[in-house]
Amino acid sequence: MKPDAFKFLAGSAAGLAYTHAAYAVAASRGIINEPIFLGRKWGVGFMWTEAAIYSAISMALAYRGWGSDTRAEQPSA
């Protein structure tokens, strides 16, 4: 995959992490209700866990996209 694809996916994952964190803050302050999905009430702690997972995915993808370029470090023949 090209580095641009990793950069795009990193931004998408970062957006998901930010959205889950904002939703968790709003739910903990009572602004919105905790979501009920598949008959289960998903608490604020689960939202923070999702935000942390999406943040880790975003960091890994960003490292692949913006990390050191191995082709630039190789000497030319």
Side-chain angles (χ1 to χ4, degrees):
M1 229 191 284
K2 293 186 178 183
D4 291 338
F6 287 114
K7 292 176 186 179
F8 173 77
L9 293 173
S12 298
L16 286 170
Y18 180 79
T19 302
H20 279 83
Y23 199 90
V25 169
S28 66
R29 291 187 180 180
I31 298 171
I32 56 176
N33 294 330
E34 292 178 343
I36 298 174
F37 183 67
L38 298 174
R40 181 173 183 245
K41 192 172 189 178
W42 299 89
V44 176
F46 187 74
M47 291 180 227
W48 281 115
T49 303
E50 290 175 327
I53 290 170
Y54 283 126
S55 295
I57 292 170
S58 175
M59 295 300 285
L61 290 169
Y63 180 76
R64 289 288 306 255
W66 281 286
S68 62
D69 188 14
T70 56
R71 289 174 288 168
E73 295 173 4
Q74 293 177 353
S76 60

